[in-house]
Amino acid sequence: MNAFVCAPNGARIRTRTRSKNNRTGVVRFAVSAVVRTDWKPSSWREKATVDAGVPLTEVSRLPPLVYSGEVDRLKSKLADVQTGKAFLLKAGDREEDFTITQGENTEATFRLLVAQVIMLAYVSGVPIVKVNHIGGDFENIGPLNVSSDEEVLRVTKSYYQSSSALNLLRALAKSPTSMMDWTDPISTVDGETHKDLIGRVEDALRFVQAAGLNVFNEDFREPEFYVSHELFLLPYEEALTRSVDGQWYGSSTHMYWMTRGSQELDEAHIEYLRGVENPVSIRVDTETSEASLVEIIKTLNPSNEPGKVVLTCSFGSSKIWGKLPKMIRAVGHRLML
C-alpha cells in the first residue's frame, strides 16, 4: 500500500507499508518529485504548428524500450561527469535506415564504442559513460502527421527495429566474448597506430591481475551502455511515455537530443521534454543565441538538477574559441559541455 504526505520543502514523500499476518509492518520513505499538474504526455499537441495526427493507441500498448531506473542511473552518471568524476562518450549513427542490415551494423558500432571506451578510460583514469546514438533515429520515418495507416505502420516498424537493436546491444554487453581480449577491440580499429597504447594497456592489466583482481570477471568486463536519439516524431514519444511513482519517463530511449531547429520555447518539442525525467542533449553551434539557450535550459531544468542537460558543441575548430567561452559564461553551472 502507498500513501503520500507533504514535506516542508513541497516534495511529496511516498510511504510504503507492508503487511504480515494482517498487521502493518515496516514503513519505508522515499522522496518523490512533486507531481506535475500542468503537463501530460499529450500537452505538446497544444503547441504543435502542424497537424499532430491521432494518438498511436497500438504503440502505447507495447512494452517500454528502456526503463525508468536506467534513465535515473544515467542522470546520476552524467552528474558525475559534470563534477569531473567521469567522462561522457557519445557516439554512433546520427540517422538510421530501415534498409540497412541492422545486426552487422549494430555489432560493428558496439565494438567500435568498446574500443574507444578502453582507450579513453586508460588515458583519462576515470569511468566512461557510454551513450550510443541508436534505436530511434530513422531518417525516413515520415512527417509529424501520422494519421494515415501507412505512417502508423512505419512508426510501429520503428518501434520493433529499435527493440531489435536494443536487444542485440544488451546481448553483446553480457556476452563473455563480446569484449574478446581487452586490447583486441583497439587492434580492430587501427592496431598499428595505437601499438604503443595497446602495450601500455596490457601492462596495466598485468599489474591489476598481479594485485589480485580478476579482469576476466563478468562484472569487471561487462560494458554498461545507454542509448539516445533525436526527439522528432512526437506522437511516437507520447505513446511510449510512462508514469512511474508520479513521474513521467520517455521509454523509447534513455536520452533525447535536440537540434537547433527544435529549440524555440513555443515549440512542441520543448513542451514534451519539460515533462519527462530523461536527460536532454542540446546541439549548439555558431547560430545559437546565448539568451535563448539559457531560457531553454531554465524551462527544461527549472530545479537545476545535475545530469539533466548536456550541450553538444558543433562550432568547428576555427570558431569555437570565439563562441564557446561566451556560452559557458551565459549558462554558468547549469549543465555540462
Side-chain angles (χ1 to χ4, degrees), residues 142-255:
L144 184 64
N145 184 347
V146 292
S147 58
S148 74
D149 292 340
E150 181 180 355
E151 289 168 348
V152 170
L153 287 174
R154 291 173 67 82
V155 172
T156 305
K157 184 177 181 180
S158 170
Y159 170 89
Y160 284 112
Q161 186 151 336
S162 298
S163 177
S164 175
L166 289 172
N167 285 340
L168 179 56
L169 285 173
R170 289 185 172 107
L172 287 168
K174 291 185 176 295
S175 170
T177 61
S178 65
M179 290 186 65
M180 303 173 285
D181 182 81
W182 276 88
T183 53
D184 280 354
I186 307 176
S187 301
T188 59
V189 176
D190 193 344
E192 192 60 34
T193 301
H194 302 295
K195 186 176 180 179
D196 180 60
L197 176 61
I198 291 173
R200 285 184 286 154
V201 171
E202 290 176 338
D203 288 342
L205 289 172
R206 280 192 289 268
F207 171 78
V208 170
Q209 284 184 280
L213 182 61
N214 180 13
V215 298
F216 299 102
N217 180 275
E218 179 180 341
D219 293 334
F220 192 81
R221 293 170 61 87
E222 183 178 322
E224 185 178 36
F225 70 93
Y226 301 93
V227 294
S228 174
H229 69 236
E230 182 176 2
L231 181 69
F232 176 65
L233 200 67
L234 290 172
Y236 176 73
E237 305 299 343
E238 175 191 338
L240 288 174
T241 306
R242 301 289 185 266
S243 176
V244 179
D245 288 339
Q247 297 177 331
W248 292 102
Y249 292 83
S251 70
S252 69
T253 190
H254 297 111
M255 172 190 281

Side-chain angles (χ1 to χ4, degrees), residues 13-168:
I13 300 180
R14 174 169 52 86
T15 67
R16 177 176 298 166
T17 63
R18 62 185 184 187
S19 298
K20 184 176 182 181
N21 298 327
N22 296 323
R23 294 182 180 178
T24 301
V26 178
V27 178
R28 298 179 178 179
F29 294 88
V31 176
S32 175
V34 177
V35 178
R36 291 184 179 274
T37 59
D38 64 338
W39 188 93
K40 55 185 177 180
S42 61
S43 294
W44 64 271
R45 293 177 177 273
E46 300 172 4
K47 298 180 179 291
T49 56
V50 298
D51 184 2
V54 298
L56 299 174
T57 305
E58 181 179 346
V59 176
S60 67
R61 298 191 183 109
L62 296 171
L65 294 173
V66 303
Y67 291 92
S68 60
E70 296 173 336
V71 173
D72 291 337
R73 191 159 61 248
L74 173 58
K75 279 200 296 187
S76 175
K77 290 180 178 293
L78 291 175
D80 288 340
V81 175
Q82 195 168 346
T83 57
K85 298 176 182 177
F87 186 90
L88 172 62
L89 172 64
K90 293 169 76 258
D93 294 332
R94 179 176 174 179
E95 294 172 343
E96 299 171 78
D97 194 320
F98 288 131
T99 63
I100 294 176
T101 304
Q102 189 182 35
E104 296 178 1
N105 190 54
T106 301
E107 184 171 354
T109 301
F110 173 82
R111 296 199 186 284
L112 177 60
L113 191 65
V114 169
Q116 293 173 318
V117 166
I118 293 173
M119 290 187 284
L120 286 171
Y122 179 81
V123 172
S124 68
V126 297
I128 308 299
V129 181
K130 300 164 284 296
V131 178
N132 197 342
H133 292 169
I134 199 167
D137 285 328
F138 295 103
E139 176 184 13
N140 298 316
I141 195 172
L144 184 64
N145 184 347
V146 292
S147 58
S148 74
D149 292 340
E150 181 180 355
E151 289 168 348
V152 170
L153 287 174
R154 291 173 67 82
V155 172
T156 305
K157 184 177 181 180
S158 170
Y159 170 89
Y160 284 112
Q161 186 151 336
S162 298
S163 177
S164 175
L166 289 172
N167 285 340
L168 179 56

